[in-house]
Amino acid sequence: MPGYSLSDDEIAFFRDANPFGLFLFKRNLDNPEQIRALVRQFREAVRREDAPVYIDQEGGRVQRLDNGNWPLFRALGDFGALAAKDMDAAKTALRLSTLAMGTMMAELDIGSGTTPVVDLAIKGMHDVIGQRAFSDDPEIVTALGREVVEAMLEVGEMPIIKHIPGYGRVKVDPHFDLPVVDAALDDLMATDFKPFIDLKDAPWAMVAHLIFTALDTERPASVSPIVCDFIRSTLGYDGVIITDCLTMEALSGTWAERVTATLDAGYDIALHSQGTLAQSEAAAKAARPLSEHSLGRIARANARLGKARYDVADLHAQAEAIFAQYGLA
């Protein structure tokens, strides 16, 4: 959807298609009153008061609430740099920052910032991840990722670890090309995959569009039944899995075919968040009702959401003060 409110045609589409939730972008986010009104519009259209509305709000270059009406938050890589100096200080700053950002979104009726990124920031790889990730050290990534997961849950925001099983080794941007990773499985288990194993109790995850030849030589992870089974069985992840946006050029086929392939692979939710209304309608027709397994995972995730609220400006300032103490701008 292109604007700040739903058109009559968009309302009719949502009423007919009944998508699980709505994913918003900067083009849809102007001010608090407008955002809350848009969320109400969507929920009225689908006739579900609890229908989730999510955005990308990681901090750094990926934060949709950045037009001056809200504080700007640091990239996750900044917290990794602080962790290299003092892990306890990094955890404290990250918790404060996350509680502030989570409260801010909750006050807008937005249910998730689809964070944390727990891919590795491996040097020499494409910067599609870069500062979006905490570190190239899986132990640091796990420790800091845990802080985001727990703080988001505390304020009732759904943490989504991404991009399972890991974009850390990509040499091309999956928005435009299909990354292929040829690393050995043992190496991947000890590095890229490790934060996802350690955070397997996180309620939601977003699956990546890339080929791991050690698992499936032909299909990207997001449309591979082999990889889906690997995530569930070997990595031990039994939370909700949503895809990265299916309109990214790493995938092939029509958008409707991509929806079908994702759901056939065994993932819970297909994310289609670009294109015209007609393209959205075609994608929606390829979807299907949520399975009993998926509904169970969603219910378990929702049961973990808290209701705490904090002073956004105060916590944000406390986090920034910690960075100042360590001479980090």
Side-chain angles (χ1 to χ4, degrees), residues 21-102:
L22 178 65
F23 207 95
L24 300 178
F25 287 82
K26 190 181 302 187
R27 62 179 181 266
N28 310 123
L29 307 168
D30 183 36
N31 63 72
E33 182 179 351
Q34 170 268 320
I35 293 170
R36 287 190 286 266
L38 174 57
V39 172
R40 286 196 302 272
Q41 264 195 307
F42 171 69
R43 290 175 171 165
E44 288 169 1
V46 297
R47 299 183 177 92
R48 284 181 286 119
E49 293 184 1
D50 61 346
V53 176
Y54 293 173
I55 62 174
D56 280 319
Q57 182 72 16
E58 302 165 4
R61 61 184 165 94
V62 180
Q63 52 185 321
R64 307 307 183 205
L65 299 168
D66 66 349
N67 64 7
N69 286 320
W70 302 278
L72 295 178
F73 293 84
R74 287 179 175 269
L76 299 183
D78 287 354
F79 296 93
L82 179 56
K85 293 176 176 287
D86 186 327
M87 175 58 84
D88 288 340
K91 287 182 175 181
T92 300
L94 182 56
R95 175 175 169 75
L96 291 167
S97 181
T98 303
L99 291 173
M101 187 160 62

Side-chain angles (χ1 to χ4, degrees), residues 264-300:
D264 284 350
Y267 297 109
D268 297 294
I269 298 172
L271 173 60
H272 176 277
S273 56
Q274 298 291 343
T276 65
L277 182 58
Q279 290 169 322
S280 296
E281 289 170 343
K285 287 177 181 176
R288 62 195 68 162
L290 286 159
S291 71
E292 289 301 316
H293 287 301
S294 295
L295 289 169
R297 292 179 184 118
I298 290 166
R300 290 194 296 274

Side-chain angles (χ1 to χ4, degrees), residues 38 52 101 110 120 138 180-181 185 199 201 249 257 260 265 273-274 312:
L38 174 57
M101 187 160 62
I110 292 169
L120 299 188
V180 177
V181 174
L185 184 57
L199 295 170
D201 59 328
E249 295 302 317
E257 289 169 343
T260 299
S273 56
Q274 298 291 343
V312 174

Side-chain angles (χ1 to χ4, degrees), residues 73 79 82 87-103 134 143-144 146-155 308 310 315-316 318-319 322-323:
F73 293 84
F79 296 93
L82 179 56
M87 175 58 84
D88 288 340
K91 287 182 175 181
T92 300
L94 182 56
R95 175 175 169 75
L96 291 167
S97 181
T98 303
L99 291 173
M101 187 160 62
T103 296
F134 293 111
L144 297 181
R146 174 69 62 190
E147 292 296 323
V148 176
V149 168
E150 293 181 354
M152 283 295 182
L153 286 172
E154 183 175 335
V155 294
Y310 296 92
L315 266 61
H316 184 263
Q318 289 185 48
I322 292 173
F323 279 92

